[in-house]
Amino acid sequence: MITPDDLVALIRNYNPDCDEALIRRAWEYGDSMHAGQMRHSGEPYFTHPVAVASILTEMRLDDATIVTALLHDTIEDTRSTYAEVERLFTHEVAELVDGVTKLTNLQLTAGEPGPDEGKPGKPSPQAKQAENFRKLLMAMSRDLRVILVKLADRLHNMRTIRSMRPEKQAQKARETMEIFAPLAGRMGMQWMREELEDLSFRVLDPDRRNAILRRFITLQRESGDVIARITADIRFELEKANLDGTVYGRAKKPYSVWRKMQEKELEFSRLSDIYGFRIIVDEVHECYQALGLIHQRWRAVPGRFKDYISQPKQNGYRSIHTTVSGRDGKRVEVQIRTREMHEVAEAGVAAHWAYKDGARSVNPFAIDPAKWIENLTARLDKDEDHAEFLEHVKLEMYADQVFCFTPKGDVIQLPKGATPLDFAYAIHTRIGNATVSAKVDGLRVPLWTRLRNGQQVEIITADGQRPQTSWIELVHTGRAKAAIRRSLREEDRERFVRLGRELSRVAFEKAGRKVTDKALDTAARSMALKSGTDLLARIGSAEISARSVVEQLFPETATMTTAEVDAARPVVGLDPDIPFRRANCCQPVPGERIVGITYRGKGVVAHAIDCDVLATLDDQSERWVDIHWHEGRHAAVHAVSLNLTITNSAGVLGRVCSLVGEQKANISDLHFLDRKPDYFRIFVEIEVSDVEHLHRILTILSAESDVAQVIRARDPNRKP
């Protein structure tokens, strides 16, 4: 059995940001719940959930699915309960584990098999089984990941089936052949379908399977390594045309060969295409270029060409299939696809949850789950043949995303938990800003209503409507939050004016001047602005620096060399031998009004004039010291703590750090406060020179679309 470290390493290979603590906690819980339980093989039972989790890492699935695999038998086979799993992990994991449990409890076989049952390739005549399974999927499998865990569970059970009683092996193999293998194929996971079919074939008809394997060995002895030679031939043709591609071949699975023999009523010796080859290229047009090279080198077999790139399968599968008469006249099947198409061909619908380099991989060829489910639903309504339910099964809900419709029928994709306001902003920022109410499926609903899959949403707007501060708590998407904040900033002109006035006061005082309304109006006219108030708003929003306004009015100050202030003694009003430092609670910076407070054994500590701690010292006036910052250029050594909320998207944290660096500020500390599927909350400590420098950084970060919130983190509980 692999260790917890091994499992975490497997997950980190594709998702470096996985929740390691959650994985380890699930491992420990599952191991303790299954303690003392053994498999038929004599191994500890927990080796099975671990193996299932390992299979799911091959599909690069998310943390919740891996945790579900580790816990999928706890509710059914141990003293664990739904409530306990929900409390210790999450509601999402509890729902997934419960869904797998209900799948396991469903009776998928109906008594003893009839005389014709159990033969490979024969569909089950027991429509009642199919109908039961279909009903369960419709009612309980609201999340496709439940099926993925169940399929991985069945795959491991089939790999280790030899330890079971012969009659139990036959029952499981029939169930796998009739239900789980076709389901895997229907979901686009062809590799899993082929392995499940072959493992079932090994149990149900070992003699035929062994006969086919012996024929393969004989053929290889007589003809040599055909696969290696044909692979080399294809690579030669690609290299000659300077086409970069990966080529590999394989013999088809014994069950696939046997099925072709049955379908075509041919003996093995007369079966032609028992070898398959794949060519993987980078671009779509290169698929057709490779096809031309193959057909130029070998003769194409008429009627054996299929273009699934121009006409994809419903499960998202795209590829070109052609059969040619290859070396020595042997027919071989060649599949040609791009790397992204290959990922979908391997993972099928599961490609939606696949991670790559720590983030959900966005594959343009992955199937749209809403359309896939819609297609299955439509087929289900038209067909009453219960025995073929796997081709028509309906999954009611798509767990982590919702697909809603505009009144015109356009599909809007949103994360789970989105509201009509998110829907409005997803259409256009202008519509979101003007939203006054919404209708869902024709009924008026509050703006905080959570949308569900397949609903039609109509947004009602009004001229003059503006975003409200409370909307930030109503929306779920980073795009909507950022748009609302941008609008609020634009509306909050008065706040910018107040801040601009304070920044101007500091800048003018540094130049030895006094700021007046007349001076501001004069500067505004010279800078082609309407008024001094407009200028203050620009200063407050960091569009214009207060220093540039001073230089505009008093050009001589631009050439003045301002002495750099000693970072060890940045304030005026203290004797040189008195220790001094900034308060940790409020972290004042040059340009902010400060007051000194004496502390026994610590000297004088500078607090911002609006620090909450000062209110507790009103009755200790003897400890107050009048100090202020030195005039001049302060070094960027004054630490300030910030709390940021950023969207969970690739590159966002890097952009935040770059923005800070571009403003000539250093990041001295950074760590995560909270991690959610849609956003991160992070603590950042930066070093600034003065209040203008700090405000410039805050404004630039707030303007970044993927930064939902940035606030200065003052904490009165921090020791001064």
Side-chain angles (χ1 to χ4, degrees), residues 663-694:
Q663 297 304 312
K664 310 300 182 185
N666 183 47
I667 296 178
S668 55
D669 189 16
L670 187 153
H671 59 265
F672 287 83
L673 301 174
D674 194 12
R675 298 171 185 257
K676 299 294 183 184
D678 296 320
Y679 67 87
F680 291 151
R681 289 184 58 243
I682 59 174
F683 170 91
V684 181
E685 187 176 84
I686 62 175
E687 294 176 343
V688 300
S689 57
D690 54 28
V691 66
E692 187 173 352
H693 189 196
L694 171 62

Side-chain angles (χ1 to χ4, degrees), residues 89-370:
F89 300 94
T90 62
H91 176 73
E92 178 186 21
V93 170
E95 282 291 298
L96 288 170
V97 174
D98 187 54
V100 177
T101 300
K102 287 169 178 167
L103 281 175
T104 303
N105 291 336
L106 188 69
Q107 184 66 38
L108 296 177
T109 55
E112 293 296 319
D116 294 329
E117 291 183 38
K119 294 182 180 179
K122 297 289 185 180
S124 170
Q126 300 176 340
K128 184 176 180 180
Q129 300 171 56
E131 177 63 3
N132 286 341
F133 199 49
R134 180 178 66 173
K135 287 179 178 178
L136 180 72
L137 291 175
M138 292 174 61
M140 303 297 178
S141 297
R142 298 181 178 274
D143 191 322
L144 278 170
R145 290 174 293 179
V146 170
I147 308 298
L148 297 178
V149 175
K150 185 59 184 176
L151 286 171
D153 168 76
R154 178 51 58 106
L155 179 59
H156 183 251
N157 281 333
M158 290 302 298
R159 287 174 176 174
T160 58
I161 199 171
R162 290 300 179 88
S163 59
M164 301 179 72
R165 301 189 312 272
E167 62 272 21
K168 192 69 172 178
Q169 289 186 39
Q171 177 194 345
K172 292 292 183 184
R174 280 193 302 274
E175 190 177 74
T176 301
M177 187 71 81
E178 297 167 0
I179 295 173
F180 292 101
L183 179 57
R186 187 67 183 87
M187 295 176 70
M189 296 181 289
Q190 193 63 27
W191 68 271
M192 182 179 284
R193 175 177 184 165
E194 290 180 355
E195 184 171 355
L196 288 172
E197 287 175 337
D198 201 53
L199 291 170
S200 301
F201 189 38
R202 185 175 65 180
V203 172
L204 297 171
D205 209 335
D207 293 336
R208 285 194 176 94
R209 184 176 184 275
N210 291 335
I212 292 172
L213 289 175
R214 286 194 298 269
R215 295 304 298 270
F216 269 122
I217 295 172
T218 302
L219 184 63
Q220 184 172 1
R221 189 185 308 121
E222 294 173 352
S223 305
D225 195 347
V226 176
I227 295 175
R229 294 204 305 271
I230 295 178
T231 300
D233 289 343
I234 295 175
R235 285 178 180 151
F236 175 78
E237 294 298 324
L238 297 181
E239 290 171 1
K240 189 168 63 173
N242 293 322
L243 181 59
D244 185 23
T246 304
V247 183
Y248 55 92
R250 64 180 177 88
K252 294 189 175 179
K253 294 281 188 180
Y255 177 73
S256 177
V257 173
W258 183 89
R259 184 170 54 195
K260 285 184 178 293
M261 291 170 59
Q262 295 300 107
E263 291 172 353
K264 298 182 179 181
E265 298 181 352
L266 296 174
E267 295 293 329
F268 184 92
S269 59
R270 298 182 58 198
L271 204 62
S272 56
D273 51 339
I274 59 176
Y275 300 110
F277 296 84
R278 287 178 184 154
I279 302 174
I280 312 298
V281 294
D282 293 323
E283 303 294 338
V284 174
H285 73 271
E286 292 176 342
C287 294
Y288 295 95
Q289 185 181 352
L291 175 66
L293 296 173
I294 297 300
H295 282 181
Q296 286 176 9
R297 171 67 186 271
W298 296 285
R299 183 168 55 86
V301 176
R304 297 297 303 274
F305 172 78
K306 295 178 181 177
D307 186 353
Y308 291 119
I309 293 180
S310 61
Q311 292 182 317
K313 292 185 178 182
Q314 288 186 351
N315 57 23
Y317 179 86
R318 286 173 167 82
S319 185
I320 294 174
H321 291 196
T322 186
T323 301
V324 298
S325 295
R327 188 183 275 263
D328 302 325
K330 290 183 173 59
R331 289 186 176 185
V332 295
E333 182 184 49
V334 181
Q335 299 175 358
I336 309 170
R337 59 181 74 131
T338 67
R339 302 185 194 283
E340 291 174 321
M341 293 174 187
H342 184 63
E343 290 177 3
V344 175
E346 292 295 303
V349 178
H352 170 74
W353 290 280
Y355 275 70
K356 189 173 183 179
D357 298 331
R360 283 275 181 88
S361 59
V362 179
N363 191 319
F365 299 113
I367 185 63
D368 182 341

Side-chain angles (χ1 to χ4, degrees), residues 510 565-566 569-573 590 628-634:
K510 282 184 178 180
V565 176
D566 181 4
R569 305 297 297 180
V571 298
V572 177
H628 62 272
W629 298 102
H630 264 298
E631 298 294 336
R633 289 183 291 107
H634 289 261

Side-chain angles (χ1 to χ4, degrees), residues 1 20 25 70 131 270 307 397 489 552 601 622 625 657 663 718:
M1 181 174 74
E20 180 178 344
R25 197 163 71 248
L70 293 172
E131 177 63 3
R270 298 182 58 198
D307 186 353
M397 185 76 106
R489 285 197 298 269
Q552 181 74 23
E622 71 280 1
V625 180
C657 294
Q663 297 304 312
R718 283 194 296 232

